[in-house]
Amino acid sequence: MDDKTWSQYYADSPPTIVPLPIRSHFEALTDQQKRYAHYVSKAAYYGTRVILRQVSPESEPIFDFIISLHRACNGDWSKLQKEANINDDDLKGFLDYATQFLGNLGNYKGYGDSKFIPRCPPETIDALAAVVPMAAERLREGKVAIAAFYATPHKPALLHLGFPDKGHMSTYYPDSPDITQEEIELISDFLAGKQLLLENTRLQKTQQGDFRLLIASGLEKPPPEGSDAGTESTFELEGKLKGRKLDLVFGDHIEEMAKIALHLKKAGLNAANDRQKQMMDQYAKSFGSGSLKAFKESQKLWVKDIGPMVETNIGFIESYRDPAGVRAEWEGLVAMVNKERTKAFQQLVDSAPKMIPQLPWSKEFEKDVFTAPDFTSLEVLTFNSSGIPMGINIPNHDDIRQEIGFKNVSLGNVLSAKAPNEPIPFIRKEDLELYQNNRDEAFEVQVGIHELLGHGSGKLLQENSPGEYNFDPRNPPISPITEKPVTTYYKPGQTWRSVFGDISASYEECRAECVAMALCCDFDILKIFGFGDGTINLDTKAGEVLYATYLSMARAGVVSVEFWDPESRKWGQAHMQARFSILKTFLDAGEDFAKLDYTKEDLSDLSIKINREKILTVGRKAVEVYLQKLHVYKSTADLEEGRRLYEQMTHVDEWWASKVRPEVLRRKTPRKVFVQANTIEEEGKVLLKEYKATHEGMIQSWTERDV
């Protein structure tokens, strides 16, 4: 790997540090609501070490190293600089790294899954460790050498998360360098047959070739009534793994899970109603015992907890970073409702039954009844994960979504967070003013439709139990693609994630993004968001927002190739893989709808051009053709056709790899990292403490969480 390629892995300098302001919304709460928010926030942050262990072996010791340095100098980094005898550039290089590390909770990007390394030399870290013995001890305890901060030249595949047998990093499979993708998938299929969910697990292969399923729980043993798998804790494997065994091992992250369960019990004592208290009890049961059945019960209660002043969700939620797509990262959300913005979202919810039939599939591929979800605009107090999204549509369990419903949230103070003078590459000069004036509105429209009508639409054709179907198997639906009866469906115990595996997360994000691109063309929807009167007119404010939405998606498709690795030829970020395929859909639409403009051989003047007048005709039609295929293949569990389509649409050819990607990297802007507030309990009162959006503020905020 040459020096230019290595440089892509350096930490951002400087990182884009932005605050997440919350005080006015927090202070509007009652004392009881503040206590409820405080205890759930504490529970969310006690999962920090779980996230770190899900990233890499060195992430937790590096976290402790950074925190120990702060404590030793009490945040006076210039004093520590003098003691360590390091220069300004090297201190800045370390603080840049530490800030990005804490913003991603690990040494791999939360958005991109590639490793980032300090710009300062190893001698800087050596010098800091030498003057703070406790920090050095944290590295020794974690068996981490200073070299682990950096890259291993003879093992470039370790710069990316992925399957261990491909040479990549994944601590979802700890201490198991020779576990294969096939073994992981075979065990997933075996456990699906036992109806044992995997989101809160890690999988380990022993030296003898057997397997241990590590289950996150505050107990070392399953409860007396047994685990979600019954009373058995050892299974003899079958098929290709015959002769080997699988042990269920409880107590992964035991200390953290016990603290989380305790604080959720405390939250329950401050709940607003019985439903919230029951929800907290089910959370505590799940994290204490390791039961995902209890977690699903918490999610059912959560969906039914309509319009709370303090919104929360916590657990092993998203499976983006597991290469197999079935194990989930810990995350915890605590937020306050923005009542004014929520009104617009409620109108969107009310319109959903009219909007969903506009999508390009028949009623057989849609839920029998659309259960109107709670859709709120939230201001985030706490979001503990490897990255903060703009919006959320959960729970991810398809049976809950189809039988009970789901919730949508838009995270207002995340959406509005901006760095001053933020550059916007790849937008033409003649479009730049319009784009700058409308991009926030466009993104709110996109996120709103994506979450509610994207993730919220669709039906999985399923055999729920032997002989019991949610469709008529004797008269199955007709596929709009083949115009023949469908022949595939989900078998008992199968889920969307278990069938589509490694492509499931990105594929579903793509489907939801396509729904947004199709329905944002509806001027009645734009009216709901406050743009126009529903009249179709591309020259109005509504037309500008629509145009900015298509420009934004096309621009995202261009910059997405930053997250594609030419060495492994794999994508490192689910949403960006999806957006690349949508850009290709625009470019393939024909009729001069979309093109990449450039005059220079090195593409240094590359920009995107969208024909505004053809969005409603050519653009929307192209998206709907692609969307129909994505949806029907998902609905019918047709992995073969779904994988073929998605791999074709996300294939990066030589021109994109060798010409476009270098220019994207040259013009890339650092991704935001958020400085979040803390809550402090004093004499029964909960106080809020906010921090400056600086390197020092980020590190101080994490130090004072005391996790």
Side-chain angles (χ1 to χ4, degrees):
M1 196 180 289
D2 57 31
D3 290 344
K4 187 175 181 181
T5 304
W6 276 121
S7 68
Q8 299 167 18
Y9 296 95
Y10 284 125
D12 293 332
S13 182
T16 301
I17 310 170
V18 294
L20 213 53
I22 191 62
R23 182 170 296 281
S24 62
H25 296 278
F26 182 79
E27 297 300 350
L29 301 178
T30 66
D31 286 347
Q32 180 180 340
Q33 290 166 343
K34 288 178 181 178
R35 288 193 297 272
Y36 181 70
H38 169 71
Y39 287 124
V40 182
S41 289
K42 292 290 286 184
Y45 282 125
Y46 277 127
T48 297
R49 293 181 182 276
V50 178
I51 299 170
L52 293 164
R53 292 173 200 145
Q54 290 176 319
V55 177
S56 68
E58 63 270 15
S59 283
E60 188 176 8
I62 291 174
F63 175 85
D64 288 330
F65 180 78
I66 295 168
I67 300 302
S68 295
L69 292 178
H70 176 92
R71 285 180 173 149
C73 69
N74 197 28
D76 186 347
W77 291 93
S78 59
K79 174 188 172 189
L80 190 62
Q81 176 187 1
K82 291 175 185 174
E83 292 175 358
N85 194 28
I86 59 177
N87 64 39
D88 290 348
D89 287 343
D90 288 343
L91 176 64
K92 181 181 181 301
F94 177 76
L95 291 177
D96 283 344
Y97 175 80
T99 300
Q100 189 170 352
F101 180 98
L102 295 173
N104 289 267
L105 279 187
N107 60 340
Y108 285 71
K109 293 178 182 177
Y111 200 86
D113 291 350
S114 61
K115 190 173 185 177
F116 54 93
I117 59 179
R119 290 177 181 267
C120 60
E123 291 78 12
T124 299
I125 296 172
D126 256 328
L128 291 168
V131 297
V132 182
M134 183 59 74
E137 180 62 23
R138 291 291 176 259
L139 295 181
R140 281 194 295 273
E141 286 174 355
K143 300 178 181 177
V144 168
I146 287 172
F149 284 72
Y150 297 88
T152 309
H154 62 284
K155 293 183 178 179
L158 282 175
L159 289 165
H160 297 268
L161 301 182
F163 286 108
D165 65 333
K166 304 295 192 297
H168 299 302
M169 172 62 69
S170 179
T171 44
Y172 284 106
Y173 309 96
D175 305 316
S176 305
D178 62 342
I179 193 170
T180 67
Q181 180 177 348
E182 183 182 35
E183 288 170 335
I184 291 166
E185 291 170 351
L186 287 170
I187 289 174
S188 294
D189 292 343
F190 174 81
L191 291 170
K194 302 290 181 184
Q195 299 197 2
L196 184 67
L197 298 172
L198 300 177
E199 286 95 328
N200 66 341
T201 70
R202 298 192 290 171
L203 182 63
Q204 197 172 57
K205 185 177 181 181
T206 70
Q207 292 183 346
Q208 293 74 33
D210 295 321
F211 300 91
R212 303 169 78 234
L213 189 72
L214 310 180
I215 300 173
S217 66
L219 302 173
E220 289 185 334
K221 295 180 181 179
E225 64 271 21
S227 69
D228 288 355
T231 56
E232 289 183 83
S233 60
T234 298
F235 299 96
E236 297 296 328
L237 297 171
E238 303 161 352
K240 292 183 178 180
L241 298 178
K242 189 173 183 179
R244 294 195 256 178
K245 67 177 182 178
L246 171 68
D247 289 322
L248 305 187
V249 181
F250 289 80
D252 201 17
H253 317 299
I254 188 169
E255 184 177 337
E256 291 75 25
M257 290 294 110
K259 289 179 180 177
I260 289 164
L262 173 63
H263 281 78
L264 292 172
K265 281 285 191 180
K266 290 182 178 180
L269 297 176
N270 292 277
N273 52 55
D274 287 343
R275 181 168 284 149
Q276 279 188 0
K277 185 178 185 308
Q278 292 169 24
M279 178 174 73
M280 290 297 139
D281 287 343
Q282 290 294 338
Y283 275 136
K285 179 180 178 181
S286 173
F287 305 138
S289 70
S291 170
L292 284 178
K293 288 182 179 178
F295 180 73
K296 288 182 70 174
E297 291 303 313
S298 76
Q299 298 303 277
K300 292 175 185 177
L301 291 161
W302 180 71
V303 171
K304 294 175 182 177
D305 184 29
I306 303 297
M309 280 302 298
V310 179
E311 185 61 279
T312 64
N313 200 271
I314 190 168
F316 296 89
I317 309 294
E318 301 293 354
S319 62
Y320 300 129
R321 306 190 88 184
D322 172 23
V326 294
R327 293 173 173 83
E329 182 179 79
W330 175 265
E331 70 179 46
L333 163 71
V334 182
M336 282 83 245
V337 174
N338 183 323
K339 292 182 179 179
E340 194 60 36
R341 289 308 302 148
T342 295
K343 289 178 184 177
F345 290 131
Q346 188 54 50
Q347 292 176 39
L348 185 63
V349 171
D350 294 341
S351 72
K354 296 178 184 176
M355 299 300 173
I356 288 176
Q358 295 183 34
L359 294 169
W361 53 81
S362 62
K363 63 181 181 180
E364 290 82 6
F365 299 96
E366 191 51 65
K367 298 181 185 73
D368 299 331
V369 178
F370 178 78
T371 305
D374 196 18
F375 196 168
T376 51
S377 177
L378 301 179
E379 305 295 320
V380 173
L381 167 66
T382 297
F383 202 117
N384 195 29
S385 75
S386 62
I388 306 180
M390 307 290 185
I392 309 170
N393 177 291
I394 46 179
N396 290 323
H397 302 97
D398 296 308
D399 54 341
I400 298 177
R401 297 174 68 83
Q402 296 194 137
E403 294 166 16
I404 297 177
F406 53 90
K407 280 188 183 182
N408 292 273
V409 300
S410 174
L411 305 181
N413 55 347
V414 179
L415 274 166
S416 61
K418 278 194 202 70
N421 304 315
E422 196 173 22
I424 307 172
F426 307 112
I427 297 293
R428 296 186 306 159
K429 288 181 180 178
E430 52 265 52
D431 289 327
L432 188 57
E433 183 178 356
L434 180 148
Y435 184 77
Q436 288 176 317
N437 290 339
N438 292 279
R439 62 174 175 165
D440 287 354
E441 293 93 333
F443 205 50
E444 185 174 40
V445 170
Q446 179 191 332
V447 169
I449 300 173
H450 171 113
E451 298 297 346
L452 174 65
L453 304 175
H455 292 313
S457 64
K459 174 181 180 178
L460 303 185
L461 302 184
Q462 182 116 29
E463 184 181 8
N464 297 317
S465 58
E468 181 191 338
Y469 301 81
N470 68 352
F471 67 100
D472 185 354
R474 294 164 298 181
N475 185 29
I478 302 298
S479 167
I481 301 166
T482 64
E483 298 183 347
K484 296 177 182 178
V486 302
T487 58
T488 54
Y489 53 87
Y490 293 84
K491 306 298 192 298
Q494 289 184 332
T495 66
W496 157 246
R497 283 177 173 175
S498 70
V499 172
F500 276 69
D502 59 327
I503 67 168
S504 62
S506 182
Y507 188 107
E508 172 58 12
E509 293 304 331
C510 186
R511 194 188 69 86
E513 291 282 44
C514 285
V515 170
M517 289 296 101
L519 292 183
C520 73
C521 295
D522 191 303
F523 278 68
D524 285 331
I525 286 184
L526 294 171
K527 178 184 175 182
I528 289 170
F529 283 92
F531 311 122
D533 59 5
T535 303
I536 298 174
N537 187 341
L538 289 168
D539 295 323
T540 61
K541 173 67 173 180
E544 290 183 352
V545 171
L546 171 59
Y547 185 41
T549 304
Y550 267 71
L551 285 174
S552 178
M553 180 58 69
R555 177 180 173 275
V558 173
V559 302
S560 69
V561 290
E562 173 193 342
F563 301 92
W564 178 82
D565 174 42
E567 295 290 326
S568 62
R569 305 195 71 80
K570 68 186 285 288
W571 286 93
Q573 213 292 319
H575 297 79
M576 298 311 269
Q577 181 179 6
R579 290 163 187 162
F580 178 75
S581 80
I582 296 172
L583 172 60
K584 285 181 73 174
T585 301
F586 290 174
L587 296 172
D588 293 343
E591 299 187 43
D592 201 31
F593 169 64
K595 63 181 291 189
L596 299 179
D597 258 355
Y598 57 93
T599 60
K600 298 180 180 179
E601 179 66 23
D602 63 358
L603 306 189
S604 58
D605 61 344
L606 178 68
S607 63
I608 55 175
K609 183 177 182 181
I610 296 288
N611 189 325
R612 183 172 175 174
E613 302 302 319
K614 294 184 178 181
I615 291 174
L616 298 179
T617 52
V618 180
R620 182 173 187 172
K621 180 181 177 182
V623 168
E624 288 181 341
V625 168
Y626 183 35
L627 171 59
Q628 183 184 79
K629 293 177 181 177
L630 290 168
H631 182 82
V632 171
Y633 296 149
K634 176 190 176 183
S635 186
T636 59
D638 192 345
L639 174 61
E640 182 178 348
E641 289 300 324
R643 183 179 289 279
R644 181 183 292 120
L645 170 70
Y646 202 56
E647 289 182 349
Q648 172 192 334
M649 291 301 295
T650 60
H651 172 69
V652 178
D653 64 24
E654 186 57 29
W655 185 77
W656 280 97
S658 63
K659 300 290 286 186
V660 180
R661 189 171 184 273
E663 180 58 18
V664 168
L665 292 173
R666 188 183 73 82
R667 288 201 251 171
K668 78 171 184 174
T669 56
R671 189 165 174 81
K672 300 179 188 73
V673 291
F674 296 92
V675 179
Q676 300 182 55
N678 282 326
T679 53
I680 304 159
E681 188 177 25
E682 290 184 359
E683 299 179 357
K685 298 280 187 180
V686 175
L687 309 177
L688 185 78
K689 182 171 182 179
E690 294 183 312
Y691 302 84
K692 292 181 180 178
T694 61
H695 300 83
E696 295 83 357
M698 172 71 89
I699 299 170
Q700 182 185 356
S701 71
W702 274 104
T703 303
E704 294 182 0
R705 285 180 188 126
D706 195 25
V707 296

